[in-house]
PDB file of all heavy atoms in Angstrom:
ATOM      1  N   SER A 171      98.346 140.754  85.625  1.00 98.00           N
ATOM      2  CA  SER A 171      97.555 141.507  86.602  1.00 98.00           C
ATOM      3  C   SER A 171      98.354 141.920  87.834  1.00 98.00           C
ATOM      4  O   SER A 171      97.853 142.655  88.684  1.00 98.00           O
ATOM      5  CB  SER A 171      96.332 140.689  87.037  1.00 98.00           C
ATOM      6  OG  SER A 171      96.728 139.449  87.605  1.00 98.00           O
ATOM      7  N   HIS A 172      99.600 141.463  87.917  1.00 98.00           N
ATOM      8  CA  HIS A 172     100.459 141.806  89.048  1.00 98.00           C
ATOM      9  C   HIS A 172     101.848 142.207  88.526  1.00 98.00           C
ATOM     10  O   HIS A 172     102.856 141.537  88.812  1.00 98.00           O
ATOM     11  CB  HIS A 172     100.587 140.624  90.020  1.00 98.00           C
ATOM     12  CG  HIS A 172      99.303 140.197  90.642  1.00 98.00           C
ATOM     13  ND1 HIS A 172      98.381 139.412  89.980  1.00 98.00           N
ATOM     14  CD2 HIS A 172      98.773 140.447  91.876  1.00 98.00           C
ATOM     15  CE1 HIS A 172      97.339 139.200  90.780  1.00 98.00           C
ATOM     16  NE2 HIS A 172      97.552 139.815  91.924  1.00 98.00           N
ATOM     17  N   PRO A 173     101.924 143.303  87.800  1.00 98.00           N
ATOM     18  CA  PRO A 173     103.213 143.691  87.200  1.00 98.00           C
ATOM     19  C   PRO A 173     104.294 143.975  88.227  1.00 98.00           C
ATOM     20  O   PRO A 173     105.487 143.784  87.946  1.00 98.00           O
ATOM     21  CB  PRO A 173     102.865 144.944  86.398  1.00 98.00           C
ATOM     22  CG  PRO A 173     101.597 145.458  87.007  1.00 98.00           C
ATOM     23  CD  PRO A 173     100.844 144.248  87.451  1.00 98.00           C
ATOM     24  N   TYR A 174     103.920 144.413  89.420  1.00 97.00           N
ATOM     25  CA  TYR A 174     104.917 144.694  90.453  1.00 97.00           C
ATOM     26  C   TYR A 174     105.592 143.418  90.928  1.00 97.00           C
ATOM     27  O   TYR A 174     106.781 143.412  91.276  1.00 97.00           O
ATOM     28  CB  TYR A 174     104.264 145.430  91.626  1.00 97.00           C
ATOM     29  CG  TYR A 174     103.120 144.688  92.274  1.00 97.00           C
ATOM     30  CD1 TYR A 174     103.309 143.856  93.371  1.00 97.00           C
ATOM     31  CD2 TYR A 174     101.829 144.804  91.758  1.00 97.00           C
ATOM     32  CE1 TYR A 174     102.254 143.161  93.935  1.00 97.00           C
ATOM     33  CE2 TYR A 174     100.765 144.101  92.322  1.00 97.00           C
ATOM     34  CZ  TYR A 174     100.990 143.288  93.414  1.00 97.00           C
ATOM     35  OH  TYR A 174      99.952 142.588  93.970  1.00 97.00           O
ATOM     36  N   VAL A 175     104.830 142.301  90.963  1.00 98.00           N
ATOM     37  CA  VAL A 175     105.427 141.014  91.331  1.00 98.00           C
ATOM     38  C   VAL A 175     106.421 140.593  90.251  1.00 98.00           C
ATOM     39  O   VAL A 175     107.542 140.165  90.558  1.00 98.00           O
ATOM     40  CB  VAL A 175     104.346 139.927  91.525  1.00 98.00           C
ATOM     41  CG1 VAL A 175     104.988 138.551  91.714  1.00 98.00           C
ATOM     42  CG2 VAL A 175     103.464 140.270  92.717  1.00 98.00           C
ATOM     43  N   LYS A 176     106.026 140.744  88.997  1.00 98.00           N
ATOM     44  CA  LYS A 176     106.939 140.401  87.909  1.00 98.00           C
ATOM     45  C   LYS A 176     108.211 141.222  88.002  1.00 98.00           C
ATOM     46  O   LYS A 176     109.325 140.682  87.898  1.00 98.00           O
ATOM     47  CB  LYS A 176     106.264 140.622  86.558  1.00 98.00           C
ATOM     48  CG  LYS A 176     107.183 140.289  85.375  1.00 98.00           C
ATOM     49  CD  LYS A 176     106.474 140.437  84.045  1.00 98.00           C
ATOM     50  CE  LYS A 176     107.407 140.077  82.896  1.00 98.00           C
ATOM     51  NZ  LYS A 176     106.743 140.189  81.572  1.00 98.00           N
ATOM     52  N   ALA A 177     108.081 142.514  88.218  1.00 98.00           N
ATOM     53  CA  ALA A 177     109.254 143.379  88.286  1.00 98.00           C
ATOM     54  C   ALA A 177     110.173 142.976  89.434  1.00 98.00           C
ATOM     55  O   ALA A 177     111.407 142.946  89.284  1.00 98.00           O
ATOM     56  CB  ALA A 177     108.820 144.835  88.439  1.00 98.00           C
ATOM     57  N   GLN A 178     109.587 142.650  90.576  1.00 98.00           N
ATOM     58  CA  GLN A 178     110.392 142.268  91.739  1.00 98.00           C
ATOM     59  C   GLN A 178     111.180 140.997  91.467  1.00 98.00           C
ATOM     60  O   GLN A 178     112.387 140.923  91.763  1.00 98.00           O
ATOM     61  CB  GLN A 178     109.504 142.065  92.960  1.00 98.00           C
ATOM     62  CG  GLN A 178     110.283 141.624  94.202  1.00 98.00           C
ATOM     63  CD  GLN A 178     109.384 141.234  95.367  1.00 98.00           C
ATOM     64  OE1 GLN A 178     108.289 140.720  95.171  1.00 98.00           O
ATOM     65  NE2 GLN A 178     109.843 141.479  96.586  1.00 98.00           N
ATOM     66  N   PHE A 179     110.529 139.990  90.887  1.00 98.00           N
ATOM     67  CA  PHE A 179     111.204 138.719  90.702  1.00 98.00           C
ATOM     68  C   PHE A 179     112.154 138.732  89.512  1.00 98.00           C
ATOM     69  O   PHE A 179     113.189 138.039  89.546  1.00 98.00           O
ATOM     70  CB  PHE A 179     110.187 137.580  90.629  1.00 98.00           C
ATOM     71  CG  PHE A 179     109.723 137.154  91.989  1.00 98.00           C
ATOM     72  CD1 PHE A 179     108.645 137.771  92.598  1.00 98.00           C
ATOM     73  CD2 PHE A 179     110.402 136.178  92.695  1.00 98.00           C
ATOM     74  CE1 PHE A 179     108.235 137.420  93.875  1.00 98.00           C
ATOM     75  CE2 PHE A 179     110.005 135.806  93.968  1.00 98.00           C
ATOM     76  CZ  PHE A 179     108.915 136.435  94.568  1.00 98.00           C
ATOM     77  N   VAL A 180     111.864 139.513  88.502  1.00 98.00           N
ATOM     78  CA  VAL A 180     112.836 139.693  87.427  1.00 98.00           C
ATOM     79  C   VAL A 180     114.113 140.312  87.982  1.00 98.00           C
ATOM     80  O   VAL A 180     115.233 139.900  87.638  1.00 98.00           O
ATOM     81  CB  VAL A 180     112.238 140.565  86.299  1.00 98.00           C
ATOM     82  CG1 VAL A 180     113.341 141.062  85.353  1.00 98.00           C
ATOM     83  CG2 VAL A 180     111.211 139.768  85.511  1.00 98.00           C
ATOM     84  N   GLU A 181     113.964 141.275  88.883  1.00 98.00           N
ATOM     85  CA  GLU A 181     115.134 141.906  89.493  1.00 98.00           C
ATOM     86  C   GLU A 181     115.907 140.922  90.363  1.00 98.00           C
ATOM     87  O   GLU A 181     117.143 140.880  90.340  1.00 98.00           O
ATOM     88  CB  GLU A 181     114.698 143.114  90.324  1.00 98.00           C
ATOM     89  CG  GLU A 181     115.856 143.860  90.972  1.00 98.00           C
ATOM     90  CD  GLU A 181     115.395 145.078  91.749  1.00 98.00           C
ATOM     91  OE1 GLU A 181     114.180 145.337  91.816  1.00 98.00           O
ATOM     92  OE2 GLU A 181     116.273 145.771  92.314  1.00 98.00           O
TER      93      GLU A 181
END
Side-chain angles (χ1 to χ4, degrees):
S171 59
H172 298 79
Y174 58 93
V175 172
K176 180 177 181 179
Q178 178 188 33
F179 279 88
V180 165
E181 182 178 2

